[in-house]
Amino acid sequence: MGELLGSIAFSLIVIAVIAGAWAWISSLFRKGAMALLGFDGVCVQQFETVLLYRNGRFEKALPPGRHRIRAGSRQLARIDLRPEVFRFTQGAVSADRFAVNLVYVVRSQIVDPRASFESTQNYRDEICIRLQSIVKAVCSRKPRLEIQMDHQTFSNSVQKAANQVLRSIGCECLTFELLQADPGGPIVELDNRRMGFAAGLMKEV
């Protein structure tokens, strides 16, 4: 009986050793020899940058190519560096108090991956909000006819201001193109109409 138990135990040990050796060899062929030493392989595409954080702290940015990094308490953030296009339809007010309906296209790109990743949770939303604020501000300094007749000067003014504002979130405004600027009527007239409409509702109530 004792010899049978010993034989079974020996067989189990042999099976475990064979299974361990097979797993080791399989890992060696699948991940390479460096994986057995505690390294992982990371492939970075030509159009992106990968930010490496370890224990919550920024360590380095990985350029395109294959990299071997130590496994452990790390986080990888892939940042796509390809330009993006945004199209907006927005209302604004000119310097001479006219409402203007604008249609414009913006082409932007991340130029500082770390700043873009760390400064905001969603850089696209941040770009949209900041661009609309800039367009509103530029419109408030220009008369309606100038906005309608000289799209290029307006576009250049917005692009220059946008680059200054977007730099803090690691982005750049590559191009700004005003496609359409339609008049919406004097703001004073619109305000009077609203006040008259509200007064009429009050009387009915």
Side-chain angles (χ1 to χ4, degrees), residues 69-91:
I69 60 176
R70 284 192 175 277
S73 301
R74 60 173 175 77
Q75 175 193 7
L76 298 178
R78 292 186 178 271
I79 309 298
D80 195 324
L81 301 179
R82 289 174 292 186
E84 294 185 74
V85 177
F86 300 86
R87 181 184 174 92
F88 297 88
T89 299
Q90 178 183 346

Side-chain angles (χ1 to χ4, degrees), residues 48-121:
E48 68 179 359
T49 293
V50 173
L51 304 179
L52 173 62
Y53 292 81
R54 195 175 298 279
N55 296 319
R57 295 180 178 275
F58 175 77
E59 187 169 295
K60 61 181 177 179
L62 304 178
R66 295 195 63 84
H67 303 269
R68 292 290 181 182
I69 60 176
R70 284 192 175 277
S73 301
R74 60 173 175 77
Q75 175 193 7
L76 298 178
R78 292 186 178 271
I79 309 298
D80 195 324
L81 301 179
R82 289 174 292 186
E84 294 185 74
V85 177
F86 300 86
R87 181 184 174 92
F88 297 88
T89 299
Q90 178 183 346
V93 180
S94 64
D96 48 358
R97 301 295 292 167
F98 277 85
V100 185
N101 298 317
L102 307 173
V103 178
Y104 55 93
V105 174
V106 179
R107 191 165 177 261
S108 68
Q109 185 176 27
I110 294 176
V111 292
D112 187 339
R114 183 182 176 186
S116 175
F117 181 71
E118 295 181 357
S119 62
T120 176
Q121 290 185 350

Side-chain angles (χ1 to χ4, degrees), residues 35-53:
L36 303 178
L37 302 177
F39 288 86
D40 288 336
V42 176
C43 181
V44 182
Q45 301 296 329
Q46 185 66 38
F47 55 82
E48 68 179 359
T49 293
V50 173
L51 304 179
L52 173 62
Y53 292 81

